[in-house]
Amino acid sequence: MERITQIVDGTTLLDNFNLHIFEGEIMGLVSINYHGQEALVRIICQNIPIHYGYVYFQETLVNNYKHSSMTMNRVAVIEKQSRLVEDLTVVDNIFVLRNGFKKYLINPKILEDQFKQFSKELGIHIDGNQLVSNLSFFEKCVVEMLKAIVGGVKLIVIKDISNFISTTDLIKIHDIIRYYSTQGISFLYICNHHEEAFKICDRISIMKNEKVLKVLSKKEFKQEVIAPYTLDFNRIDSTTAGNISKEGILSFQNVSTDNIHNMNFSATEGECLVFLDMNNTVLEDIIKLMNHEISPNSGKILFDDSNYNDVLSLRKNICFIQENPIHSMLFKEMSYIDNLCFLLDKKYPNLWLSKKIKKSVIQEYEPLLGKDIYCNDITELDAQSLYNLVYYRIHLYHPKVVFCIQPFSGADMYLRRHIVYLINQLRKKKITVIILAVNLSDSLAVADRLMIIEHGKLSKEYHSREFQSFRENQ
Amino acid sequence: MKKIEKQSTLKRILAIRGMGQVITVAFGLVILCIIFGILNPTFFSGRNIGNLLRQIAPILLIGIGQSYVLITGNIDLSIGSVVGMSCMISATLMTKGVNPWVAVLITLICCIAVGIMNGELVAYCKLPPFIATLGTMTVARGIAQIVNNNYNTDSIGAGAKGFRDFFYYGRTFGIYNTIWITIILWLIFNFILSKTRTGRHIYAIGSNLEASRLSGVNIVSTTIKAYIVSTFCSCVVGLIICATSGMGTMDAGNVYEMYAVAASVIGGVSTLGGQGILLGTVIGASIWGVLQNGLQFAGAPVAIRNIVIGIIVVISVLLDIIVRTGGKPRKKKEAVVSENGVKA
């Protein structure tokens, strides 16, 4: 891609953007902020109109500012939103649903044999006749990659894979990427963290505000080289640590479910706990347990020193912040203040009738949220303001415990730092924060304790003073 | 060693898409038959079984069509009206002296045109299938009324003897031709759905439209194919009704769309698309037939029969949604957020 500039509705999405990926290369792309990342992936996949520049694919000019053919390039994108058909089998997805599959009659046995060759090559054991809906995230990723390879794709874009693949599986995915790169397939590895990119990439482009700031070659993969382009995530607000009380608020005593085995922990008031699920198997069970969707097979859960079977108290005192909360937790049709007060009606049933309460909320939160609090159409606001809305909704409601599910997923560097600040704001109000994650991201910048879960069991526990040794072990 | 092989065969059968549900429903069918057999011993008489099969055949045919459409994630509400339209067009043409087989051909073309229109409206014009097929339902019923100036036709007459013999009186190897037609069409459409690329594409667009589009599946043409199968089957049912009654009746096929949905859904075809097999539709249609027949024997009035079937359909859909959404019947495909921020 040479000097690509794309302007849509007066907004510059890419500005004089250059990117060169060689055959068999694993090119990294680390975004300081997200401006232009979506546009870049779209231009790589499809030859859509651009304002200036040239796009070459396999040394052929496929798109330029004079003429864009709108054709698709042989590129596959692997991201959290799977592009597989869940109700079809693995072999159907790989072979039948690919462009250029000529045969009308399908012989599953032949396809299965072909699939076996591929899986043997990779040392992966997946049943080709299994429905895709039964596969894990990792297996789906492998199947998507195989589908791309079988379909003759020359470039695979891997986007934020560590947000949904467990740490253990990420190593396996890296091995597969390396294997196919030696076969001549090129990769664009997009991720939030340079540490992750250092492990797998041959070169790394650092992107900020629609532009490439610097391209690092392998020998430049050093903390001091990248430091000028990244933000400091060391304890942003260390005052919160002193805010922790010794009183236990939530504890698991030998709790077992289908995926959890004898889990023991106790979270205290105002504490921030991070659960790092190395195999991505137990987080869903923890959420379901706290939602009362399932009950423990054995063991005991204590909430505020009483048994957690008091569903009403639990619902009142536990909140969740979903992954990508802008999309999953906000109501676009409601105003900012209505969104902010959304949970509060549990405490004040007359909230929607009385203007007094809303006025008082505005008075209290305007210094924190600024003029955005008066906004009627929240779709006009930027991501940071919407994250404020999500976290201050919880702040206003003041539950005893809040579960944050992958809070840093899909956030750029500035936003991640802001999320750390927002989590600390919750902790200042003595709300216990429990982060559920499959990758560490920036969780350690806010955590008091890190709990490592392996194969459904708590395997290790690190206190904040030991984080450095944990990082070194990684 | 032999035991292991046996287990793996069973596992293989159960692994077939939706087979588990089909086995469960088949078990229910057997229990129903036993109950009705105990209540009335004539239920198992050869004559009743013959009648039952003839009763089930048209429901199975429209069920096949509806299953195709449901698997693509859409619905066809025009089935009943197409049955009526097919019955009226063929009968009117025959009463006007047109060769019966030419009349059949013309009727088929008209019905397939409705199928193409349904597919175009849903896949190309992106109309909600409920609205699109509701519209064509009214149009098709209107055509059924207009072809003979708002009157039922006279008897199709002696000129159509061959047609009536083929679709109504005729037997091959002692079994009515209607049943043979149904079996042959079932075999063909089952083969297409389970063994061909078109079949896979039908499942694919019902399961994940965007992924199918990105995989190069032609959404419009696949949707049209499914709707064509639906109207083709409805057309055949219309012809059978015409041959059976020997005339064209404007309200033929009334509420058949409901029966088609019942046969498909009871047999495990998902209303959310992407899942179901035609073997299930056979069981679903059989349950419908056995219930109608058995309740009739038990002296239940038509209203009660309709209530029972309606309840069974609602329960089947509910179970399907519960199974597919992990026990949360209110869950929609898009995330909905509950009070405490948890996806409901």
Side-chain angles (χ1 to χ4, degrees):
Chain A
M1 299 176 87
E2 278 179 11
R3 288 176 285 156
I4 300 290
T5 300
Q6 191 188 29
I7 302 166
V8 175
D9 298 334
T11 311
T12 307
L13 299 180
L14 288 172
D15 183 13
N16 209 16
F17 189 92
N18 288 296
L19 181 72
H20 295 266
I21 305 173
F22 300 106
E23 191 179 318
E25 187 184 35
I26 307 168
M27 183 73 189
L29 185 77
V30 175
S31 303
I32 308 291
N33 61 18
Y34 271 157
H35 294 184
Q37 204 189 81
E38 285 294 324
L40 171 67
V41 174
R42 222 185 138 205
I43 285 178
I44 292 173
C45 293
Q46 192 178 10
N47 299 313
I48 52 174
I50 47 178
H51 192 253
Y52 190 74
Y54 303 87
V55 181
Y56 297 88
F57 196 76
Q58 288 188 289
E59 294 178 5
T60 310
L61 183 68
V62 289
N63 192 9
N64 64 68
Y65 68 99
K66 290 177 195 159
H67 174 69
S68 300
S69 58
M70 296 299 285
T71 50
M72 303 294 288
N73 296 323
R74 287 192 140 185
V75 175
V77 181
I78 297 176
E79 55 188 333
K80 188 174 185 184
Q81 184 63 47
S82 165
R83 285 166 164 78
L84 299 172
V85 175
E86 301 258 317
D87 292 317
L88 289 184
T89 61
V90 170
V91 290
D92 282 343
N93 268 284
I94 293 175
F95 299 106
V96 183
L97 290 185
R98 73 173 164 84
N99 282 323
F101 181 76
K102 292 277 188 292
K103 282 190 174 173
Y104 191 71
L105 296 181
I106 293 160
N107 186 340
K109 208 173 170 325
I110 294 175
L111 301 182
E112 172 72 10
D113 288 344
Q114 284 179 354
F115 173 72
K116 269 183 190 161
Q117 284 176 11
F118 279 104
S119 52
K120 203 174 160 189
E121 212 173 83
L122 297 176
I124 301 286
H125 301 286
I126 301 173
D127 179 5
N129 287 320
Q130 204 172 24
L131 293 181
V132 166
S133 54
N134 298 334
L135 302 181
S136 65
F137 274 123
F138 164 70
E139 288 169 329
K140 280 182 190 173
C141 262
V142 175
V143 173
E144 282 208 65
M145 219 176 281
L146 283 177
K147 187 183 173 184
I149 304 292
V150 170
V153 158
K154 295 291 171 203
L155 171 66
I156 300 176
V157 178
I158 310 262
K159 213 174 150 199
D160 294 334
I161 197 166
S162 58
N163 283 337
F164 56 98
I165 294 278
S166 68
T167 314
T168 319
D169 290 336
L170 192 63
I171 297 163
K172 293 182 203 164
I173 286 281
H174 283 180
D175 289 342
I176 296 171
I177 291 173
R178 275 190 209 103
Y179 173 76
Y180 279 120
S181 71
T182 59
Q183 308 281 312
I185 309 290
S186 307
F187 289 87
L188 178 63
Y189 192 93
I190 300 175
C191 60
N192 294 325
H193 294 271
H194 58 274
E195 290 100 332
E196 185 187 336
F198 281 177
K199 286 179 192 163
I200 176 78
C201 300
D202 298 321
R203 285 187 303 141
I204 296 173
S205 280
I206 300 168
M207 183 182 175
K208 187 185 176 185
N209 290 340
E210 314 101 33
K211 276 182 185 170
V212 168
L213 298 182
K214 188 171 171 65
V215 179
L216 303 179
S217 60
K218 198 128 197 167
K219 59 186 175 193
E220 292 173 300
F221 288 1
K222 288 171 190 158
Q223 195 62 38
E224 56 269 26
V225 178
I226 206 160
Y229 305 99
T230 57
L231 298 175
D232 181 16
F233 274 80
N234 285 329
R235 293 245 158 202
I236 293 164
D237 186 356
S238 54
T239 55
T240 50
N243 216 26
I244 305 168
S245 106
K246 283 181 181 169
E247 287 172 41
I249 190 90
L250 176 71
S251 60
F252 275 42
Q253 296 176 356
N254 290 319
V255 171
S256 293
T257 63
D258 291 345
N259 297 312
I260 298 173
H261 307 296
N262 290 326
M263 186 179 274
N264 280 299
F265 76 87
S266 179
T268 53
E269 202 177 52
E271 189 182 23
C272 180
L273 274 183
V274 176
F275 283 93
L276 178 63
D277 185 359
M278 303 295 275
N279 310 93
N280 198 3
T281 50
V282 307
L283 297 186
E284 207 168 309
D285 275 23
I286 294 179
I287 297 165
K288 281 182 178 170
L289 277 173
M290 299 322 295
N291 257 325
H292 261 278
E293 281 177 38
I294 56 169
S295 306
N297 296 341
S298 64
K300 212 172 169 187
I301 299 174
L302 290 174
F303 182 74
D304 218 4
D305 285 336
S306 59
N307 200 310
Y308 99 125
N309 284 334
D310 181 0
V311 182
L312 277 179
S313 153
L314 206 69
R315 289 217 168 127
K316 221 170 176 181
N317 291 306
I318 289 185
C319 281
F320 293 82
I321 296 178
Q322 284 288 321
E323 190 177 349
N324 296 321
I326 296 180
H327 303 291
S328 57
M329 290 189 64
L330 296 178
F331 304 97
K332 286 174 189 166
E333 289 76 19
M334 287 189 195
S335 66
Y336 198 96
I337 183 69
D338 284 354
N339 265 293
L340 187 68
C341 297
F342 187 71
L343 292 175
L344 204 61
D345 60 2
K346 280 196 217 170
K347 287 185 178 169
Y348 301 100
N350 293 331
L351 171 78
W352 305 111
L353 293 173
S354 154
K355 282 187 178 174
K356 267 188 184 172
I357 303 171
K358 272 200 210 174
K359 268 186 184 170
S360 119
V361 170
I362 292 173
Q363 261 182 356
E364 191 183 337
Y365 278 85
E366 196 194 334
L368 297 168
L369 295 166
K371 294 288 171 203
D372 290 346
I373 203 164
Y374 299 106
C375 182
N376 281 323
D377 182 6
I378 63 165
T379 56
E380 292 169 356
L381 300 173
D382 62 14
Q384 187 163 317
S385 178
L386 294 174
Y387 265 87
N388 278 342
L389 178 52
V390 170
Y391 279 81
Y392 279 111
R393 178 197 281 176
I394 306 293
H395 189 271
L396 173 65
Y397 179 63
H398 198 183
K400 287 186 175 163
V401 178
V402 60
F403 283 85
C404 299
I405 301 150
Q406 302 254 59
F408 303 102
S409 152
D412 63 30
M413 211 173 273
Y414 290 106
L415 197 52
R416 291 203 307 274
R417 197 160 79 153
H418 189 64
I419 293 168
V420 171
Y421 165 78
L422 290 172
I423 291 174
N424 278 330
Q425 291 295 100
L426 296 178
R427 298 180 59 215
K428 271 184 184 170
K429 228 178 165 183
K430 292 207 170 184
I431 298 171
T432 306
V433 178
I434 299 180
I435 294 175
L436 306 176
V438 292
N439 79 331
L440 212 46
S441 192
D442 302 301
S443 306
L444 294 188
V446 71
D448 295 306
R449 269 191 292 157
L450 169 67
M451 324 284 271
I452 310 286
I453 305 172
E454 278 177 293
H455 304 293
K457 275 185 176 175
L458 269 179
S459 64
K460 275 170 204 157
E461 183 180 332
Y462 294 89
H463 286 263
S464 52
R465 60 183 178 278
E466 299 162 322
F467 287 168
Q468 194 53 40
S469 70
F470 170 76
R471 279 199 175 107
E472 281 159 11
N473 288 341
Q474 282 288 293
Chain B
M1 190 67 191
K2 210 174 180 182
K3 202 177 173 186
I4 292 168
E5 271 176 22
K6 262 189 181 174
Q7 274 181 340
S8 65
T9 312
L10 183 70
K11 213 177 163 187
R12 206 152 36 87
I13 291 169
L14 284 171
I16 296 172
R17 187 185 299 109
M19 187 55 93
Q21 203 165 345
V22 171
I23 291 169
T24 315
V25 181
F27 186 66
L29 175 65
V30 172
I31 290 174
L32 263 183
C33 289
I34 293 169
I35 291 170
F36 287 129
I38 293 167
L39 287 174
N40 191 338
T42 52
F43 181 81
F44 284 118
S45 67
R47 194 183 162 81
N48 188 46
I49 288 174
N51 276 337
L52 189 61
L53 289 177
R54 281 182 96 180
Q55 225 176 335
I56 289 169
I59 301 304
L60 174 56
L61 276 175
I62 53 170
I64 291 169
Q66 189 68 276
S67 299
Y68 261 70
V69 177
L70 285 177
I71 292 170
T72 62
N74 299 307
I75 194 165
D76 189 355
L77 296 181
S78 68
I79 281 177
S81 298
V82 174
V83 170
M85 187 181 97
S86 149
C87 180
M88 279 302 288
I89 291 177
S90 56
T92 308
L93 288 171
M94 282 183 234
T95 52
K96 303 274 184 218
V98 177
N99 179 298
W101 300 110
V102 175
V104 167
L105 192 69
I106 294 170
T107 311
L108 264 176
I109 292 168
C110 293
C111 291
I112 285 172
V114 176
I116 294 171
M117 195 162 81
N118 277 336
E120 288 280 353
L121 288 173
V122 171
Y124 187 74
C125 305
K126 306 229 177 338
L127 246 67
F130 180 79
I131 300 297
T133 57
L134 198 67
T136 47
M137 175 180 101
T138 318
V139 171
R141 188 61 72 187
I143 293 171
Q145 288 162 344
I146 213 167
V147 283
N148 202 37
N149 296 323
N150 278 312
Y151 288 107
N152 291 338
T153 67
D154 298 330
S155 167
I156 52 177
K161 190 175 174 298
F163 167 76
R164 290 200 76 187
D165 282 348
F166 181 76
F167 277 107
Y168 183 53
Y169 298 115
R171 290 178 188 227
T172 310
F173 304 121
I175 295 172
Y176 283 108
N177 284 348
T178 326
I179 297 166
W180 281 118
I181 292 169
T182 309
I183 291 171
I184 291 165
L185 287 180
W186 183 85
L187 286 172
I188 293 170
F189 288 127
N190 188 47
F191 179 80
I192 292 172
L193 198 59
S194 58
K195 300 281 178 203
T196 68
R197 195 178 59 206
T198 302
R200 294 297 199 279
H201 287 182
I202 283 172
Y203 280 108
I205 65 169
S207 179
N208 188 340
L209 197 70
E210 187 56 17
S212 311
R213 194 181 64 77
L214 291 169
S215 304
V217 175
N218 189 331
I219 309 288
V220 176
S221 107
T222 310
T223 310
I224 290 174
K225 279 177 196 166
Y227 274 106
I228 287 176
V229 170
S230 174
T231 45
F232 173 80
C233 291
S234 311
C235 178
V236 175
V237 173
L239 294 171
I240 291 171
I241 291 175
C242 177
T244 309
S245 58
M247 61 182 284
T249 43
M250 288 185 300
D251 60 352
N254 218 359
V255 296
Y256 267 36
E257 51 280 338
M258 173 63 185
Y259 298 154
V261 172
S264 309
V265 169
I266 295 171
V269 177
S270 172
T271 47
L272 302 176
Q275 275 185 9
I277 51 174
L278 290 191
L279 185 62
T281 311
V282 175
I283 311 283
S286 305
I287 285 187
W288 178 92
V290 168
L291 271 173
Q292 288 279 5
N293 190 286
L295 289 170
Q296 205 173 353
F297 268 120
V302 179
I304 297 293
R305 280 184 257 159
N306 286 340
I307 289 170
V308 170
I309 289 174
I311 289 171
I312 287 179
V313 170
V314 171
I315 291 172
S316 306
V317 176
L318 195 65
L319 284 176
D320 168 50
I321 291 171
I322 289 171
V323 168
R324 290 195 67 172
T325 58
K328 292 169 216 149
R330 277 180 296 171
K331 187 175 178 178
K332 287 183 183 174
K333 280 192 173 175
E334 275 178 52
V336 180
V337 180
S338 76
E339 281 180 302
N340 57 354
V342 182
K343 279 181 190 172

